[in-house]
Amino acid sequence: GALRIWDLRDHSTSSKPVATLLCGRHSLLCLAWDVANSGSHLLAVGDEDGGLFLLDNRNLSVTLFDGQRARQNAIRSLAWCANHILASGGDDYKVVLLDSTKACVVKEYANSHTDFVTALAWDATTGCLFSGGMDRVVQSYPIISKSTVALP
């Protein structure tokens, strides 16, 4: 799919994209800017085939994940947590935590939903990640404890 990026700060270019990037062959379903980690410049993009792309917005290059199949099915939701952890939810009913600095899975919550995981939200105050799904269930996961990733 094609990802188009606009710079709305620059009024001379705000009517056209400053970049168009091809991210795989499949439809892009979700994206998330990393605002949870100070100084980060990453944009995560998930596609319908389970592909994950991490883009550096300073030079618009793909970093670490370049369409790597992070999931077996579509990625429907993404959320950044502290410590550069990226959470993804998808059609496999799972919530998967990835370490964006090492490009690896650090935790998988396989039995938290009985249908597609369509929403993720990070609460920096409590250190919890929340997921919502087509099963009409909201789950919470305590991810951060004393500035470290707590993976029970």
Side-chain angles (χ1 to χ4, degrees), residues 29-111:
L29 300 179
C30 56
L31 53 90
W33 286 107
D34 183 2
V35 295
N37 297 289
S38 178
S40 179
H41 299 277
L42 294 178
L43 171 66
V45 180
D47 76 13
E48 68 179 348
D49 193 42
L52 179 64
F53 301 84
L54 290 184
L55 307 165
D56 186 326
N57 73 342
R58 293 169 295 184
N59 60 14
L60 299 176
S61 63
V62 176
T63 62
L64 294 179
F65 293 96
D66 183 4
Q68 177 179 332
R69 287 197 66 202
R71 308 290 293 264
Q72 294 301 311
N73 297 300
I75 297 176
R76 301 246 172 228
S77 54
L78 293 166
W80 286 97
C81 305
N83 297 332
H84 305 284
I85 300 297
L86 176 63
S88 67
D91 288 2
D92 55 7
Y93 312 165
K94 298 176 186 175
V95 173
V96 176
L97 303 181
L98 302 155
D99 183 335
S100 67
T101 63
K102 298 177 184 163
C104 66
V105 173
V106 293
K107 181 70 177 176
E108 185 175 290
Y109 297 95
N111 299 315

